Amino acid sequence: MLLEIDFESEEALYVQLQNQIIIGIATSQYKQGDSLPSVRQLADTIGINMHTVNKAYTILKSEGYIKLDRRKGAVIAVDIDKLQAMSEMKDILKIVLAKGSCKMITKEEVHQLVEEIYNEYR
Amino acid sequence: MLLEIDFESEEALYVQLQNQIIIGIATSQYKQGDSLPSVRQLADTIGINMHTVNKAYTILKSEGYIKLDRRKGAVIAVDIDKLQAMSEMKDILKIVLAKGSCKMITKEEVHQLVEEIYNEYR
DNA sequence: ACTACTGTTATACAATTTATATAACATACA
DNA sequence: TGTATGTTATATAAATTGTATAACAGTAGT
């Protein structure tokens, strides 16, 4: 899978990496058991430092998306903690929907957005 | 309205302020034309620096939630740029829903969350 | 045994962001 | 004339971000 980085973005590089990998899992481009490039390989491919990739991987591990193995490198291994995930999603939605509400985005329009996006995930 | 700040949070103080004010608008605790406390007043009340409040206000202004007036101070004045707002919401939802999808949160559960949250907004 | 590859850890550095601290300025208003 | 407003300028300390080298320990293949 292609991992693209926007160096002009205000988003931290390691956060962009995390997000792209998570979206890759959601879109089934990465499947359970698949290996990600090694920290050095990926850093070299993208043209960034090894530690930046390592930071992304380490956080992805701590958030239960991958496992790190000295043999196989980084392997997709999603750990399901649904309650935790729902709680985190709710916290973010509170502010995202508040912004939308202020800007006159209707509830129905939000539902439609969710449909559009979610239908591209599994 | 009570603006509470969590000093233990990893979220920047000025971001917490922004979010609370936006939620205040969405929940009609702040209405169009209402005045917010002055930067010095609010800083003093919360116990943080004037510039931290000023930064929150300045960004809220640039994002079209308030207007700043030397006479009246900070005044709620939501500028509706719906297309812009929809675009921003979509970008955030892409990653939020991807995370949810990985963690086996169903589309229906997302819709339900949206209902729960949105019903507390106007 | 040797080599090459993993993740892991340590240290150092520069740039940026966050938050604070003082100070001053221009405007508005009673 | 005070007092309040947002605004701007500087300076400082702490934390975050990204890079740079280097080394360590475990694994796999020859």
Side-chain angles (χ1 to χ4, degrees), chain B residues 4-23:
Chain B
E4 278 183 3
I5 293 299
D6 177 8
F7 289 95
E8 308 303 318
S9 169
E10 59 186 3
E11 198 128 49
L13 300 184
Y14 75 93
V15 174
Q16 291 186 52
L17 262 185
Q18 286 178 66
N19 289 347
Q20 294 232 14
I21 292 169
I22 289 172
I23 290 178

Side-chain angles (χ1 to χ4, degrees), chain A residues 28-88:
Chain A
S28 301
Q29 298 179 268
Y30 288 128
K31 299 192 181 79
Q32 201 85 351
D34 282 359
S35 282
L36 292 170
S38 77
V39 288
R40 290 173 178 83
Q41 226 180 312
L42 185 51
D44 208 51
T45 304
I46 301 178
I48 61 177
N49 192 271
M50 189 203 80
H51 291 95
T52 307
V53 178
N54 189 250
K55 186 169 185 178
Y57 280 11
T58 302
I59 298 177
L60 283 171
K61 176 187 173 190
S62 80
E63 294 183 348
Y65 292 97
I66 66 178
K67 284 192 176 174
L68 297 175
D69 192 318
R70 275 220 176 78
R71 294 166 286 182
K72 309 171 196 165
V75 177
I76 306 293
V78 180
D79 170 66
I80 312 290
D81 187 343
K82 199 164 166 177
L83 285 185
Q84 170 76 14
M86 293 269 297
S87 167
E88 285 173 13

